[in-house]
Amino acid sequence: PTGQAQAGKREGRKDLTAIMAEHNLVYVAQASISHWRDTVAKAEKAWEYSKEGPVFVNILSPCHRGWRFPMEKTIEVARLAVRTRFWPLYEVEKGRWRITVDVANPLPVTEWLKPQGRFAHLFRGEGNQEVLRAIQEDVDRQWAKLLRRCQGGAA
């Protein structure tokens, strides 16, 4: 809950895609409906790899009612998740990590949060600047960890 006592959930989000990759599935991917070619390619790979063992594809598909934004902005909200690096597009193919859509000049994560009514409380007044800064730091930290994994380094 949000209010004077707290600005919402205090814990960071879990990286479900990375968790699945750590279980040594033959193919794991993260996709978004905003990048349909990337999503289709990953679905095709997942189908082929499913003949060898378990696969997992995590696809971001924003919920306009629950996330409280106009339905016609669904693809835009999904695209902002990628452009802010909140939802990086990558795959793990037989243990090899690879970014499939690079975001060279990311937008601040606030650009993804602002259009969603579920985060409106974070933009009222000046009291939540520290929370927004912590969210951005978490996104940056997760991106750096993903880069290390893709370069073959330890997470």
Side-chain angles (χ1 to χ4, degrees), residues 8-15 86 134-135 138-139 141-142:
K9 181 180 173 204
R10 293 180 181 153
E11 301 82 24
R13 66 188 171 106
K14 292 179 179 66
D15 187 346
F86 180 87
I135 293 169
D138 183 58
V139 167
R141 188 172 35 258
Q142 292 297 329

Side-chain angles (χ1 to χ4, degrees), residues 44-94:
E44 289 173 344
K45 276 188 181 182
W47 180 256
E48 289 304 313
Y49 276 119
S50 70
K51 298 168 186 168
E52 298 177 34
V55 300
F56 178 80
V57 181
N58 196 5
I59 303 174
L60 179 70
S61 182
C63 171
H64 73 95
R65 285 184 56 87
W67 294 12
R68 299 198 313 265
F69 62 85
M71 183 171 50
E72 62 273 12
K73 300 265 186 193
T74 300
I75 299 299
E76 180 181 329
V77 169
R79 187 172 289 116
L80 284 169
V82 175
R83 292 275 302 126
T84 60
R85 293 182 175 164
F86 180 87
W87 192 263
L89 303 182
Y90 67 96
E91 64 186 359
V92 184
E93 202 168 347
K94 294 187 175 182

Side-chain angles (χ1 to χ4, degrees), residues 7 16 24 27 29 32 38 43 64 70 86-87 89 94 105 119 141 145 152:
L16 181 59
N24 299 314
Y27 185 74
S32 172
D38 179 70
H64 73 95
F86 180 87
W87 192 263
L89 303 182
K94 294 187 175 182
N105 298 303
F119 296 117
R141 188 172 35 258
K145 183 188 278 190

